[in-house]
């Protein structure tokens, strides 16, 4: 700008010099005339002499005004640019921002967002208020709005300190004291596990169990005549309880594998062996039912060789004891074999310091609240101790043994019932003692926070997958419609929407009938866990959808009935009760409540309910067959009707039934007869060996000699689900 001003000054000076030279020239010319006209015009030359100076002053004033004007024009836009930069609004954005959130952050309505994206490659038709916008579209909208973008910092940037409770380091060997072995009895269903344990502790557990099958893990302390004590875990043998057997194997020292001498190695026997190998737990073999005439213990030992269970008789290290749980024969030999193995293992524990243990089972008792059965593995549990397990904590109010008697202390390897839990922990959770309630709250809060973080991470991964799927679908749509005119594109989309017909009421009823919503309630956490594992194996959704609406521990409540009514579902209860009021309410609302005491009965009932939701299968039952020997036609009015002369080869032909015409093994017609005659008489039935003439309800069908006429009837048969729960 300074250079421009200098150029302008030079031009003005040059112009002034030119004017001065011009005026000098005029003076020389006019000098001659002054002498002539001096007397006539004395004042004129004086005016002419002052002209150049006057012109210079005018140019100087003009130049100064122009310079001032140019300077002002130069400064003004600079100030306006600074002010506009300062006035830009900052918009705080983040990844995964929705249309509604962006509009709110900008102080605009959602229509502004749509308008900003109108002339872009974004598919506006598929954009909703809760649709997430990619980073590029967020920047585009803010740019068009003349605003400034600012990325927000994540709230979770600050890493929280780990406040979880963990097990103590291994104790000094000098502090360890001998403890009782924890023994798990495993084996196939009905091979005598519970009866064997019952004989050892001389109670009637099996008589209390429905169907003679143990339904959930029971932990018992058995005192032998020698003074030794053994803690037994009686795991269920049914196929449905695989997870519970695995949990029992994780807290045990020795496994007694029960195999019936008359039945041999079965599916759950192999599964139990696998659990023992996975947990690296030694096995003692108990061959049961040796009192039976068909018992063959040697056969059992040979069958186990295929699964790397080698008995001492065959050069291995597995002790095998022949017993009879029913008569009690040789049970003490089995107990001694267990104690001998425990002595070899040198089982010891630290009875001092904070308690460590494992939840074996958990359930809710009406009068006592949440109750857990636990095995203490370290320390000594006393009343008033503060425990944490999973996302629950407890201040121990009461402890009791397997017979329900209160106890004051629980030492390592001892099974004990614990009362005082604020919430119900899950079976298999680790129990740890902490110093105070405040510390317990701190641990629980941390575990809940950790779970929320895990869920958030999984949710973000799911959102990212959905976003990629949406982008891929959008890319394909662009490829599909990209080269079309907007009118053609709109017409095609209209046709697609038109083809997506609304669900008719009849179709809606059929869809609802092919869905079974269920609610599951159980007595203990392990039972519910097992039923859910069974439901997870359901693989026949193409036949009928199985929807789990709710599950929980405890008796059936009014809330369960309300949920079943809302979803048109069925309530299944396992070892739980239903009050008379709840039962009457369910009956009024038309809700089915099905209670069971045996697990496989519940599953069979569930299969039957699924079968009732499936459409019936139509089966064809052949009534009779006839072969065509001749063909001819008869005239009725102006029509010629083809007639087949037949002989019945098998069964009989009944005019009221359905017929089909078979040629070269293929069906070429299905329908009914218009006439069936024996000689000239109309008949309704033609039996085996008789000849007849017949005509069909479709005149265009031509008969050929050698064709077969089959008479059949259709019967509706209830369909069965293809789901196999494994037992």
């Amino acid at each position: 700008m300074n250079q421009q001003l200098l150029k302008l000054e030079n031009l003005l000076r040059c112009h002034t010099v030119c004017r001065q030279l011009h005026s000098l020239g005029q003076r020389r010319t006019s000098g001659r005339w002054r002498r002539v006209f001096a007397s006539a015009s004395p004042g004129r030359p004086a005016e002419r002499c002052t002209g150049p100076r006057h012109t210079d002053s005018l140019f100087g004033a003009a130049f100064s005004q122009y310079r001032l004007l140019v300077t002002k024009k130069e400064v003004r836009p600079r100030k306006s640019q600074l002010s506009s930069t300062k006035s830009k609004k900052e918009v705080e954005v983040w990844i995964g921002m929705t249309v509604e959130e962006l509009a709110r952050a900008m102080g605009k309505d959602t229509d502004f967002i749509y308008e900003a994206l109108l002339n872009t490659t974004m598919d506006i038709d598929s954009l909703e208020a809760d649709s997430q916008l990619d980073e590029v579209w967020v920047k585009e909208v803010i740019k068009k709005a003349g605003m400034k973008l600012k990325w927000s910092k994540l709230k979770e940037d600050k890493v929280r300190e780990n406040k979880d409770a963990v097990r103590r380091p291994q104790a000094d060997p000098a502090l360890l004291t001998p403890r009782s072995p924890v023994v798990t009895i495993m084996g196939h269903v009905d091979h005598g596990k519970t009866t064997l344990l019952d004989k050892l502790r001389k109670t009637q557990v099996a008589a209390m169990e429905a169907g003679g099958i143990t339904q959930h893990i029971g932990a018992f302390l058995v005192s032998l005549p020698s003074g030794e004590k053994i803690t037994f875990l009686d795991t269920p043998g049914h196929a449905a309880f695989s997870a519970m057997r695995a949990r029992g194997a994780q807290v045990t020292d020795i496994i007694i594998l029960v195999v019936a001498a008359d039945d041999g190695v079965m599916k759950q026997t192999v599964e139990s062996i696998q659990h023992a190998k996975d947990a690296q737990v030694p096995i003692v073999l108990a061959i049961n039912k040796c009192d039976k005439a068909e018992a063959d213990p040697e056969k059992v030992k040979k069958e186990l060789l295929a699964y790397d269970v080698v008995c001492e008789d065959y050069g291995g290290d597995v002790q095998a004891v022949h017993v009879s749980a029913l008569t009690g024969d040789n049970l003490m030999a089995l107990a001694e074999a267990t104690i001998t193995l425990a002595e070899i293992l040198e089982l010891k524990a630290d009875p001092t310091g904070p308690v460590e243990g494992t939840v074996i089972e958990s359930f809710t008792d009406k009068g006592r609240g949440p109750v857990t059965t636990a095995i203490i593995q370290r320390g000594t549990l006393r009343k008033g101790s503060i425990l944490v397990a999973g996302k629950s904590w407890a201040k121990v109010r009461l402890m009791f043994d397997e017979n329900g008697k209160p106890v004051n202390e629980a030492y390592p390897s001892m099974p004990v019932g614990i009362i005082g839990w604020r919430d119900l922990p899950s079976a298999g959770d680790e129990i740890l003692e902490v110093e105070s309630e405040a510390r317990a709250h701190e641990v629980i809060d941390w575990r809940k926070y950790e779970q929320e973080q895990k869920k958030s991470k999984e949710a973000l991964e799911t959102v990212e997958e959905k976003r990629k799927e949406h982008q891929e679908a959008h890319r394909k749509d662009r490829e599909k419609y990209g080269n079309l005119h907007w009118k053609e594109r709109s017409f095609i989309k209209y046709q697609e929407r038109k083809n997506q017909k609304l669900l008719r009421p009849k179709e809606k009823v059929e869809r609802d009938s092919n869905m079974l919503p269920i609610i599951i309630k159980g007595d203990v956490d392990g039972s519910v866990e097992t039923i859910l594992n069974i439901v997870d194996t359901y693989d026949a959704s193409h036949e009928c959808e199985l929807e789990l609406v709710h599950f929980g521990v405890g008796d059936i409540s009014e809330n369960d009935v309300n949920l079943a009514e809302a979803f048109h579902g069925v309530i299944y209860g396992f070892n739980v009760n239903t009050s008379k009021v709840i039962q009457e309410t369910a009956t009024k609302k038309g809700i089915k409540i099905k209670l069971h005491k045996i697990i496989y009965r519940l599953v069979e009932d569930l299969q039957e309910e699924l079968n009732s939701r499936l459409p019936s299968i139509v089966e064809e039952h052949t009534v009779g067959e006839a072969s065509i020997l001749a063909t001819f036609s008869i005239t009725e009015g102006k029509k010629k009707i083809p007639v087949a002369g037949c002989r019945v080869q098998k069964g009989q032909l009944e005019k009221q039934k359905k017929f089909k015409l078979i040629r070269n093994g293929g069906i070429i017609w299905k329908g009914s007869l218009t006439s069936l005659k024996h000689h000239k008489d109309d008949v309704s039935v033609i039996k085996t060996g008789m000849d007849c003439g017949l005509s069909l309800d479709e005149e265009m069908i031509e008969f050929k000699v050698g064709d077969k006429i089959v008479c059949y009837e259709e019967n509706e048969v209830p369909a069965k689900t293809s789901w196999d729960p494994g037992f």
Side-chain angles (χ1 to χ4, degrees), residues 506-523:
K506 186 177 179 181
E507 293 174 349
K508 188 174 186 300
V509 171
E510 290 178 358
R511 186 197 66 178
D512 292 342
S513 64
N514 286 335
M515 179 182 290
L516 176 59
I518 58 172
I519 295 171
I520 295 171
K521 297 298 288 288
D523 57 339

Side-chain angles (χ1 to χ4, degrees), residues 13 76 111 142 265 298 337 352 385 422 478 581 622 695:
R13 286 174 182 170
R76 281 175 188 169
D111 291 339
I142 292 174
V265 176
E298 294 302 318
T352 63
S385 298
R422 298 303 187 267
R478 286 181 61 189
V581 176
T622 302
S695 59

Side-chain angles (χ1 to χ4, degrees), residues 585-628:
T585 304
T587 304
K588 288 179 182 178
K589 294 182 177 182
I591 303 301
K592 295 180 183 177
I593 297 179
K594 300 188 175 185
L595 304 178
H596 294 275
K597 298 287 185 183
I598 301 175
I599 189 72
Y600 54 82
R601 297 296 183 203
L602 184 147
V603 178
E604 287 174 358
D605 194 331
L606 180 58
Q607 286 179 301
E608 290 175 4
E609 189 66 33
L610 287 167
N611 293 339
S612 67
R613 303 291 176 113
L614 300 179
S616 300
I617 299 174
V618 178
E619 291 186 351
E620 292 184 0
H621 174 67
T622 302
V623 178
E625 292 181 6
S627 57
I628 297 177

Side-chain angles (χ1 to χ4, degrees), residues 42-59:
R44 193 178 295 254
E47 291 179 4
R48 290 187 179 217
C49 291
T50 59
R53 286 194 299 271
H54 180 68
T55 304
D56 291 343
S57 63
L58 287 174
F59 274 112

Side-chain angles (χ1 to χ4, degrees), residues 98-110:
T98 64
V99 173
E100 190 175 6
E101 289 171 343
L102 180 58
R104 194 183 305 117
M106 295 175 64
K108 306 282 187 181
D109 55 8
T110 53

Side-chain angles (χ1 to χ4, degrees), residues 387-402:
L387 307 177
V388 291
K391 289 180 285 298
S392 178
W393 70 280
K395 183 175 183 178
V396 180
R397 291 191 288 109
L398 180 66
M399 296 184 294
F400 56 91
D401 61 13
E402 68 276 7

